[in-house]
Amino acid sequence: MTHTTSQKAASWPEIPYVAWAETCGALHLFTQIVGKYRLAHTPWVNHSWHATLYANGRGLTTALIPDGPGGVEVRFDFLDHRVVAETPGHQSVSFALEPMSVAEFHQRFVELINTVGGNPQFHGRPNEIPNPTPFEDDTRSRPYDAEAVQRFHQALVLISQVFQQFRTGFIGKVSPVHFFWGSFDLAVTRFSGRPAPEHPGGVPELPDEITREAYSHEVSSAGFWPGGGPIEAAAFYSYAYPTPAGFDASTVMPADAYYDKNAGEFILPYEAVRVASDPEKVLLSFLESTYTATAELGGWDRSSLECPTGKPLIPRPV
């Protein structure tokens, strides 16, 4: 079956940040609360990979957290607009995602975890947000635009699939495709295998020891923001740490991509991907070309790190 340009473009939803900025800000803080619960109970994995959320067919999930009677999984269900806590073979309880304050979400979530037999003790202040208000004290009413959240989820699902495809072309160390609730972005990261210079730290409301462990080794990292970060509109990004000389002057694809000196990374507007005749191909060109710039300028051992892109039922050639 072939797709016309309009059909392909329609499959990637419009997600203009300004239109749902307040809901997005609330959802960011809600995911921090759930993420911090996972963080408090999960053994440390390199680069904080144990703390993230994952996109799935209904929203975002923590996967199984080692707490309570055999574990607890928490899910943001963006189709039914509920937060669900479930234990293996036992019970599933939930509450509605709707207009509320961060303090009210925090209270409902604590009650939810208590109900399934978990221990809802976790750090009570947001990370990576300047001058944060403790969750329990953030009593300002927040909106919840359910339609906008569904569009955001649709975008996450489509983007995750492209990131997963990109991930398969690397035999070296590569991260899962996961959602960082601190910065509220979906990301995938490739590693050269070599140690990196100590990171200077300085991320707002994030201990330097965590930042330095996250960037302990050389990386080429790409991801997606819905907006509200260094770039106001929804956008894809790609950066290197350490940044090799000449990276900012690299020629990357597609033509809509550019280097943002303030952010220190390449940016591709989400809208440029959404309206393309083949959004997946355009996004892959950005991921591949920015990675190639990092690997070439950084002197990565590409022949031992890269492999053909994975295909179903076909083993990787050795």
Side-chain angles (χ1 to χ4, degrees):
M1 177 179 178
T2 59
H3 295 267
T4 65
T5 297
S6 61
Q7 285 173 322
K8 289 292 280 187
S11 69
W12 286 66
E14 294 185 60
I15 47 172
Y17 174 70
V18 173
W20 77 299
E22 287 296 314
T23 293
C24 185
L27 194 60
H28 184 182
L29 292 168
F30 297 168
T31 62
Q32 289 221 7
I33 290 169
V34 173
K36 282 174 173 284
Y37 166 64
R38 183 183 188 205
L39 179 67
H41 294 280
T42 308
W44 200 277
V45 177
N46 47 226
H47 319 302
S48 297
W49 293 353
H50 63 298
T52 59
L53 306 177
Y54 312 97
N56 66 16
R58 299 196 66 88
L60 292 168
T61 179
T62 61
L64 198 61
I65 298 167
D67 184 35
V72 177
E73 180 179 1
V74 181
R75 300 189 303 275
F76 285 89
D77 186 329
F78 294 147
L79 302 185
D80 289 339
H81 302 288
R82 302 192 69 82
V83 176
V84 182
E86 193 167 43
T87 58
H90 290 80
Q91 57 181 324
S92 176
V93 295
S94 66
F95 65 84
L97 280 167
E98 58 189 358
M100 71 181 95
S101 68
V102 173
E104 185 174 358
F105 181 96
H106 179 271
Q107 179 182 356
R108 292 187 188 186
F109 180 69
V110 167
E111 293 171 355
L112 190 76
I113 299 304
N114 275 325
T115 299
V116 295
N119 175 14
Q121 292 188 357
F122 50 86
H123 183 254
R125 290 168 59 91
N127 288 122
E128 301 183 53
I129 296 175
N131 306 311
T133 301
F135 300 127
E136 291 182 307
D137 298 335
D138 192 341
T139 57
R140 177 169 65 89
S141 180
R142 311 270 184 154
Y144 184 80
D145 184 339
E147 183 181 345
V149 170
Q150 285 187 325
R151 292 197 305 271
F152 170 60
H153 171 241
Q154 183 184 353
L156 282 182
V157 169
L158 292 166
I159 294 163
S160 292
Q161 292 179 61
V162 179
F163 282 10
Q164 292 285 7
Q165 183 179 351
F166 172 68
R167 184 178 185 267
T168 67
F170 202 73
I171 197 173
K173 178 179 172 180
V174 59
S175 77
V177 176
H178 44 198
F179 192 86
F180 283 98
W181 42 264
S183 47
F184 206 63
D185 60 339
L186 190 74
V188 62
T189 303
R190 291 177 170 184
F191 292 76
S192 74
R194 300 184 305 230
E198 184 179 86
H199 195 283
V203 177
E205 298 298 320
L206 189 67
D208 288 346
E209 63 180 350
I210 294 177
T211 306
R212 288 173 180 147
E213 194 277 332
Y215 292 102
S216 62
H217 288 71
E218 294 179 345
V219 301
S220 174
S221 190
F224 164 74
W225 283 305
I231 306 299
E232 187 68 11
F236 301 95
Y237 64 82
S238 181
Y239 66 88
Y241 183 79
T243 306
F247 182 67
D248 58 341
S250 300
T251 300
V252 303
M253 295 186 292
D256 294 287
Y258 63 94
Y259 189 81
D260 187 285
K261 292 184 178 179
N262 292 327
E265 46 202 24
F266 280 99
I267 300 296
L268 174 62
Y270 170 83
E271 190 67 7
V273 174
R274 188 188 74 82
V275 302
S277 60
D278 191 337
E280 293 84 359
K281 182 177 180 180
V282 169
L283 178 51
L284 275 172
S285 74
F286 177 72
L287 300 174
E288 293 286 2
S289 63
T290 53
Y291 158 72
T292 297
T294 298
E296 285 293 310
L297 294 171
W300 289 28
D301 183 6
R302 298 184 62 188
S303 63
S304 66
L305 294 170
E306 299 171 16
C307 63
T309 301
K311 297 180 180 179
L313 299 178
I314 299 176
R316 180 183 61 83
V318 178

